[in-house]
Amino acid sequence: MLSTTPKECPARLLDQARQHPRVTTVVINPVNEVSLASARMASEQGLIEPILVGDIETMRRQAEAMGWALDQVRLVQADDETDAARLGVALVSQGDAHSIMKGHVHTDILLRAVLNKSAGLRTDSRLSHVFYMTVPGSDKALCITDAVINVQPSVLDKLHIARNAIEFMHALGNGEPKVALLSGTEEVSKSMPSSQDAAELVKLAAMGALPGAVVEGPLAFDNAVSPEAAAIKGITGKVPGQVDILLVPNLESGNFLFKQMVYFMGATAAGLVLGARVPIILTSRADPPEARLASCALASLYCAHRSLSAPALVS
């Protein structure tokens, strides 16, 4: 059942990102081959201007082994992953860089540095993650949020998650994304809290809390993605079968969903952490090069969009 289809970085996404200047990006602790190769690939594709923050001797040795000359790359010495996260975030705070890439560093250490009030990267939004899912041979993209950071989000958390994802889609040129609030049913039920959350979010959206999007739910997965399934069940609306953003009930359901698409459908799962002053490119050792490259392209487009309006900082 596992897909053997080669992964693809959407050419359209790369072309769109290359219309903007390279984004100066701090790469946090790229002291292994995977993280250095990611930074090199994005640099050679014209997406980022990397600043490598880690043990310089180790980075030089790893880069030399892969044939990457670092003569024109800025290197910043850090003693360990915690130090690298602190120094990298400081560079962004000082205006030396405009995005962050996760290298060989634990996610909690990186995000702790980002959320440190003294760093000045916090905004009035909660951090959340968006996966930008594409399937080989198709121009359609589907966003899944949040499958990485918010484990069991409240209604207020989901409001922030939705806002981040909507702005993300605006940055990609979709001025009115269609958001499906997923649950296991289309009916509001006390026995299924996610359906109650969805109904509350729809009310908030109707009051203007989620501008620039069409928000509907609760919707089961089949009705969100399939016009045929929605028609059979008599479910109407602008979102069923036309969805752009799937807002999942919790991290576990989102994790299962995106991995199913990757391993059964050959999808490329690119993504960013949003809600800070700058986008954070999160990659893992299991990610193929195409996903890392697509994530950098997303960061480029998001930075170009955010340059038009900086978010308010938390005092």
Side-chain angles (χ1 to χ4, degrees):
M1 293 179 66
L2 295 180
S3 173
T4 58
T5 304
K7 300 291 189 295
E8 292 181 1
C9 177
R12 176 181 51 79
L13 187 64
L14 283 178
D15 291 341
Q16 193 177 356
R18 289 189 183 117
Q19 295 175 17
H20 302 285
R22 293 170 180 259
V23 178
T24 304
T25 302
V26 289
V27 188
I28 308 297
N29 208 42
V31 294
N32 62 354
E33 182 179 356
V34 171
S35 53
L36 270 178
S38 299
R40 178 187 186 181
M41 178 171 52
S43 175
E44 292 179 344
Q45 289 290 331
L47 300 177
I48 72 169
E49 193 69 44
I51 301 175
L52 307 183
V53 184
D55 181 72
I56 291 179
E57 182 179 348
T58 302
M59 293 189 297
R60 286 193 182 279
R61 184 171 62 251
Q62 291 279 359
E64 183 178 356
M66 66 174 65
W68 186 19
L70 298 179
D71 298 342
Q72 304 301 316
V73 178
R74 181 177 175 183
L75 307 178
V76 177
Q77 173 63 33
D79 297 331
D80 54 31
E81 60 179 333
T82 301
D83 193 37
R86 178 183 62 82
L87 292 172
V89 166
L91 288 170
V92 175
S93 181
Q94 295 163 13
D96 291 351
H98 304 288
S99 70
I100 297 171
M101 177 186 284
K102 177 181 178 288
H104 190 57
V105 55
H106 288 87
T107 300
D108 59 338
I109 291 176
L110 173 56
L111 296 185
R112 193 177 303 125
V114 170
L115 290 172
N116 190 317
K117 286 187 177 181
S118 64
L121 299 191
R122 297 178 66 178
T123 72
D124 56 358
S125 177
R126 184 176 181 84
L127 292 188
S128 64
H129 184 277
V130 172
F131 272 120
Y132 182 85
M133 309 295 300
T134 54
V135 176
S138 173
D139 290 333
K140 174 68 175 177
L142 185 65
C143 289
I144 299 172
T145 189
D146 179 349
V148 174
I149 294 178
N150 293 281
V151 178
Q152 194 69 42
S154 66
V155 171
L156 180 58
D157 296 335
K158 289 178 180 179
L159 189 64
H160 285 272
I161 292 168
R163 284 174 177 166
N164 288 342
I166 290 165
E167 184 190 12
F168 173 76
M169 292 302 286
H170 290 173
L172 301 185
N174 186 336
E176 193 178 53
K178 297 176 177 63
V179 183
L181 307 174
L182 290 188
S183 184
T185 176
E186 293 76 42
E187 302 294 332
V188 179
S189 170
K190 291 183 179 179
S191 63
M192 195 169 295
S194 60
S195 69
Q196 294 179 302
D197 288 358
E200 184 65 26
L201 286 167
V202 168
K203 290 179 183 177
L204 292 171
M207 296 168 60
L210 293 171
V214 178
V215 181
E216 296 178 2
L219 285 169
F221 177 78
D222 56 344
N223 305 314
V225 301
S226 168
E228 291 82 7
I232 290 170
K233 294 183 179 181
I235 298 170
T236 60
K238 295 182 178 179
V239 174
Q242 304 296 325
V243 67
D244 298 303
I245 300 170
L246 296 173
L247 198 156
V248 297
N250 52 43
L251 184 147
E252 293 163 312
S253 57
N255 183 278
F256 299 154
L257 178 56
F258 100 83
K259 286 181 178 175
Q260 181 272 334
M261 292 185 67
V262 169
Y263 287 97
F264 285 176
M265 300 175 63
T268 296
L272 301 176
V273 174
L274 308 172
R277 268 180 49 199
V278 301
I280 303 167
I281 303 161
L282 230 60
T283 58
S284 73
R285 288 172 295 175
D287 288 333
E290 294 80 8
R292 300 186 208 120
L293 187 61
S295 298
C296 291
L298 294 175
S300 173
L301 295 169
Y302 190 75
C303 284
H305 171 77
R306 289 299 288 271
S307 67
L308 300 177
S309 58
L313 298 180
V314 171
S315 58

